[in-house]
Amino acid sequence: MANDPGPRRHSDRSSGAVTLQQVATRAGVSIATASRALHGGHGRVVNEELRTRVLAAAAELNYVSNAPAQALARARTSVVGLMVHDVADPYFGAIATGVMRAAAEYDLMVMLTASFREQQLELDYLVRLRNQRARAIVLAGSGFTDGEFTERLAERLAGFVEDGGRVACVGDHGVATDTVALDNRGGAEQAVAHLWELGHRRIGVIAGPLGLVTVRDRLDGVRRALERRGAPLPAERVVEADFTRAGGRAAALALLARQPELTAVFALNDGMAAGALAALRDELGLAVPGRVSVVGFDDLPYAADLHPALTTVRLPLEKAGVRALELIVDDRDARGTRRIVELESELTVRSSTGPAPAP
Amino acid sequence: MANDPGPRRHSDRSSGAVTLQQVATRAGVSIATASRALHGGHGRVVNEELRTRVLAAAAELNYVSNAPAQALARARTSVVGLMVHDVADPYFGAIATGVMRAAAEYDLMVMLTASFREQQLELDYLVRLRNQRARAIVLAGSGFTDGEFTERLAERLAGFVEDGGRVACVGDHGVATDTVALDNRGGAEQAVAHLWELGHRRIGVIAGPLGLVTVRDRLDGVRRALERRGAPLPAERVVEADFTRAGGRAAALALLARQPELTAVFALNDGMAAGALAALRDELGLAVPGRVSVVGFDDLPYAADLHPALTTVRLPLEKAGVRALELIVDDRDARGTRRIVELESELTVRSSTGPAPAP
């Protein structure tokens, strides 16, 4: 890496003692210069005049250098934290692949955390990554719509950034960090447009957990697309489900029991779509797509192998992982400006969608 | 954690200066006791007599305590390295899930490395995990049959262990570490027995990369099972393939072109089985299982959703991850004894296998 981010201030702060920042302020230099003057370290040498000023300030303030803390601070710089929800989910596998490939290129090591969608665990891991002196964090699980959680998340991320850490989000987490934006709304709109063109007017939605920003955005896309066509989505055509195959199966059964006249089911991820396909085909004996069309979201590697092969919205997940890591590494224009990289979605049409059956 | 593993010796060694080990030897105490006497630290207090002996030895040898190194050594203790080949492969996703869940329970952080099957990268990552002061390493990618590589791997692992690190392998890596053994041979034998009972006598094998221990063992199981039945496996019925869907597709086409009389194909992982199913069904127009039966290996989550649902050998991968982490954490009986935890495989029969067609 080109830049040594300089010493962190964990230990100075928590001890309540004189901080390096105070020494730097007194000497009228940057904290990096103060650090180099006092401790040496990588890179540029400090000129004699500045060095004298810093040493004098340190003496006046009775500053005690914390060598282990500095050693630790330097050790921090090659680790990137990657925070996901569920490592067994191929969605995260794809993002992680991008992050890992890019990390290898930049000679960084990746520390992986899986919160299994427990908010408190996610906050705890942030603290631990800070304690581990992670140089940067990629938040790759979906954000939560819970405002209180998001506030606490923002606070902890701010603390991490204050310490010199970098943060990039994959998808919207409700925090103003550098972000790789995924086109969840647009992708959902494309899927609805496709179904609409095939004549479907009674479309049910298998949503994932409604507390996830990803689900909220995809559902927004569906609503918007249907409203634009003069056919607002009735509440009873949406079922909340666990983001898994089992969740999709149960939701499909519930949805069709309640709304047997549906001609299409849009599952907001491929795992749920796989479960819905199995339920429709094997348990309800409904032809797909003859009687019911099914659409998924994400285009995971197995989508083409489902039966019938799944029509789904493709997100460039591996690329999202690569770009997130690049945002973290390349800080040329990062000072004060939030950067958003927008990635596009694309509908992949396969065999699980067809013309709506005649009424 | 119950035991503080004590300071590591990286810095002492590399500097060529007097080491803590030399001080401990001179004082006739363990290195942990020497460390506690000189630096304080967690846990038990050293009695005054021992303390005096250690201080005297340190003075005689002119030992210089390396505080940052010790701080770093202590920082090491909550990180476990998890080494896999490919994070996008659900096989590793399942193992990683087990490791992550157990790590969370023991309050450990996981550093993930993905070598994408590059041997040198795997060796490099070992060094980096050592430099990162990882407390332990779980090797979860398959071992390689390459003896030279395995020797270098063993050397690097030994260095890591000498430093007080712990190592556990998932599957056989040709190194004498604690190991969670996967029943690759036995699983393959079960699959062959199942096909044999269905009347299949002309069975083709889609092997993964032959340089992987996992592939060698699965193939051994096939050979052994067929030999026992008086029908040794001809070389031309085995095709090497990339461990992916695309690899399985190409191999199935090659195999059937060469041996059109085959009535069954055994793909040595589920990804390749998915590709083989697609090739047989969509490209060759062969009925599965009417004309050709297909068996996979691993029982990944999507196996039940393939078309037809895949008969495959189930390995308890998540459990393997949990047990590997437990081996690392629980060192009650680890001194000098290699521990091997054997996990069983189980054939899961679904719809992709049926009676061999009449000749």
Side-chain angles (χ1 to χ4, degrees):
Chain A
M1 294 311 312
N3 299 320
D4 173 16
R8 316 302 184 179
R9 282 160 289 149
H10 284 293
S11 311
D12 301 332
R13 284 184 164 182
S14 56
S15 67
V18 174
T19 66
L20 187 60
Q21 179 63 69
Q22 290 173 292
V23 173
T25 305
R26 166 78 65 123
V29 301
S30 74
I31 195 162
T33 300
S35 171
R36 276 195 296 271
L38 288 166
H39 319 300
H42 315 307
R44 280 170 293 164
V45 173
V46 178
N47 80 42
E48 206 45 44
E49 190 249 321
L50 286 184
R51 203 175 119 79
T52 310
R53 259 162 58 194
V54 171
L55 292 179
E60 279 164 38
L61 293 172
N62 205 16
Y63 171 74
V64 180
S65 154
N66 185 338
Q70 285 141 26
L72 285 172
R74 280 193 293 274
R76 169 207 283 237
T77 56
S78 70
V79 174
V80 171
L82 170 61
M83 301 181 68
V84 308
H85 284 172
D86 179 359
V87 278
D89 185 339
Y91 174 93
F92 295 116
I95 294 176
T97 297
V99 170
M100 306 287 302
R101 283 196 189 276
E105 213 153 288
Y106 289 103
D107 226 19
L108 297 170
M109 297 290 280
V110 174
M111 194 168 278
L112 181 70
T113 75
S115 66
F116 301 100
R117 299 202 175 88
E118 280 182 42
Q119 297 186 339
Q120 188 53 50
L121 204 51
E122 201 154 316
L123 295 172
D124 290 348
Y125 275 135
L126 266 177
V127 173
R128 299 202 65 180
L129 286 170
R130 188 172 167 180
N131 291 344
Q132 290 289 342
R133 278 72 187 171
R135 160 209 199 93
I137 290 174
V138 174
L139 261 176
S142 166
F144 294 90
T145 56
D146 174 347
E148 205 180 304
F149 166 78
T150 303
E151 240 170 69
R152 284 190 294 159
L153 178 72
E155 260 167 43
R156 300 225 169 157
L157 289 175
F160 183 77
V161 169
E162 248 177 67
D163 272 359
R166 306 290 312 277
V167 177
C169 290
V170 176
D172 179 8
H173 282 68
V175 290
T177 61
D178 286 348
T179 295
V180 178
L182 299 175
D183 186 25
N184 285 311
R185 282 194 184 80
E189 290 184 45
Q190 286 176 62
V192 170
H194 169 67
L195 290 172
W196 194 268
E197 277 164 31
L198 288 168
H200 295 278
R201 298 294 178 267
R202 297 185 300 277
I203 302 170
V205 179
I206 299 180
L210 296 175
L212 297 180
V213 171
T214 301
V215 172
R216 180 200 65 194
D217 290 352
R218 292 178 182 182
L219 201 49
D220 271 4
V222 176
R223 287 191 210 284
R224 212 153 65 175
L226 286 172
E227 269 162 27
R228 201 176 310 128
R229 288 166 176 83
L233 182 68
E236 63 274 20
R237 288 201 183 146
V238 180
V239 175
E240 183 171 9
D242 191 28
F243 240 172
T244 60
R245 183 182 192 280
R249 177 194 158 273
L253 295 177
L255 203 51
L256 269 292
R258 207 154 81 188
Q259 304 263 312
E261 74 284 7
L262 294 181
T263 66
V265 171
F266 185 9
L268 299 186
N269 84 358
D270 286 350
M272 297 190 302
L277 278 178
L280 295 170
R281 190 185 59 212
D282 304 335
E283 298 185 66
L284 299 178
L286 299 175
V288 178
R291 167 64 182 81
V292 184
S293 284
V294 175
V295 181
F297 210 116
D298 292 334
D299 199 14
L300 298 180
Y302 59 72
D305 287 317
L306 294 176
H307 174 49
L310 186 68
T311 294
T312 182
V313 178
R314 196 180 129 63
L315 288 184
L317 296 171
E318 185 173 334
K319 189 172 171 190
V322 171
R323 299 306 307 274
L325 199 99
E326 287 172 350
L327 280 176
I328 273 170
V329 167
D330 173 11
D331 55 3
R332 275 174 304 184
D333 56 352
R335 302 287 149 217
T337 339
R338 180 184 182 199
R339 294 172 300 170
I340 299 182
V341 175
E342 308 219 2
L343 296 184
E344 295 194 348
S345 60
E346 189 188 355
L347 186 73
T348 304
V349 178
R350 298 201 181 91
S351 322
S352 67
T353 47
Chain B
M1 294 309 312
N3 301 317
D4 172 16
R8 316 300 185 182
R9 283 160 288 149
H10 284 293
S11 309
D12 300 331
R13 282 186 164 182
S14 57
S15 67
V18 174
T19 66
L20 187 60
Q21 179 63 69
Q22 290 172 293
V23 174
T25 305
R26 166 79 64 124
V29 300
S30 73
I31 195 163
T33 301
S35 170
R36 277 194 295 270
L38 288 166
H39 320 299
H42 315 307
R44 281 168 294 163
V45 173
V46 179
N47 80 43
E48 205 46 43
E49 191 250 317
L50 286 183
R51 203 175 120 80
T52 310
R53 260 160 60 192
V54 171
L55 292 179
E60 280 164 38
L61 292 172
N62 205 16
Y63 171 74
V64 180
S65 155
N66 185 337
Q70 285 141 26
L72 286 171
R74 278 193 293 273
R76 168 209 283 237
T77 57
S78 71
V79 174
V80 171
L82 171 59
M83 301 181 68
V84 307
H85 284 173
D86 179 359
V87 278
D89 185 339
Y91 175 92
F92 295 115
I95 295 176
T97 298
V99 170
M100 307 287 299
R101 283 196 188 276
E105 213 152 288
Y106 289 102
D107 227 20
L108 297 169
M109 298 289 281
V110 174
M111 194 168 276
L112 182 70
T113 75
S115 66
F116 301 100
R117 298 202 176 87
E118 279 182 44
Q119 298 187 338
Q120 189 54 49
L121 204 52
E122 202 155 316
L123 295 173
D124 290 348
Y125 275 135
L126 265 177
V127 174
R128 300 203 64 182
L129 286 170
R130 188 172 166 178
N131 291 345
Q132 290 289 342
R133 277 73 186 170
R135 159 210 198 93
I137 290 175
V138 175
L139 262 174
S142 166
F144 294 91
T145 57
D146 174 347
E148 205 180 304
F149 166 78
T150 304
E151 240 171 70
R152 285 190 294 158
L153 178 72
E155 259 169 43
R156 301 227 169 157
L157 289 176
F160 183 76
V161 169
E162 249 176 68
D163 271 0
R166 306 290 312 277
V167 177
C169 291
V170 176
D172 179 7
H173 283 67
V175 290
T177 60
D178 285 348
T179 294
V180 178
L182 300 175
D183 186 24
N184 285 311
R185 281 194 186 81
E189 290 183 47
Q190 286 176 62
V192 171
H194 168 67
L195 290 171
W196 193 269
E197 276 163 34
L198 288 168
H200 296 278
R201 298 294 177 268
R202 298 185 300 277
I203 302 170
V205 179
I206 299 180
L210 296 176
L212 297 180
V213 172
T214 301
V215 172
R216 181 200 65 192
D217 291 352
R218 293 179 182 182
L219 201 49
D220 272 3
V222 176
R223 286 191 211 283
R224 213 152 66 173
L226 286 172
E227 270 162 27
R228 201 176 310 130
R229 288 168 176 81
L233 182 68
E236 62 273 21
R237 289 203 181 144
V238 180
V239 175
E240 184 171 10
D242 192 27
F243 240 171
T244 59
R245 184 183 192 279
R249 178 194 158 272
L253 295 177
L255 202 52
L256 268 292
R258 206 154 80 186
Q259 303 264 311
E261 75 284 7
L262 293 181
T263 65
V265 171
F266 185 9
L268 299 186
N269 83 358
D270 286 351
M272 297 190 302
L277 278 177
L280 294 171
R281 190 185 59 214
D282 303 335
E283 298 185 65
L284 300 179
L286 300 175
V288 179
R291 167 65 183 81
V292 185
S293 284
V294 175
V295 181
F297 210 117
D298 293 334
D299 199 14
L300 297 180
Y302 59 72
D305 288 317
L306 295 175
H307 175 47
L310 186 68
T311 293
T312 182
V313 178
R314 195 179 130 62
L315 287 184
L317 296 172
E318 185 173 334
K319 190 172 170 188
V322 171
R323 299 307 305 273
L325 199 98
E326 286 172 350
L327 280 176
I328 273 170
V329 167
D330 173 11
D331 55 2
R332 276 174 302 183
D333 56 351
R335 300 288 149 218
T337 340
R338 180 183 181 201
R339 294 173 298 169
I340 299 183
V341 175
E342 308 218 3
L343 296 184
E344 295 193 348
S345 60
E346 188 187 356
L347 187 73
T348 304
V349 178
R350 298 200 180 90
S351 322
S352 66
T353 47

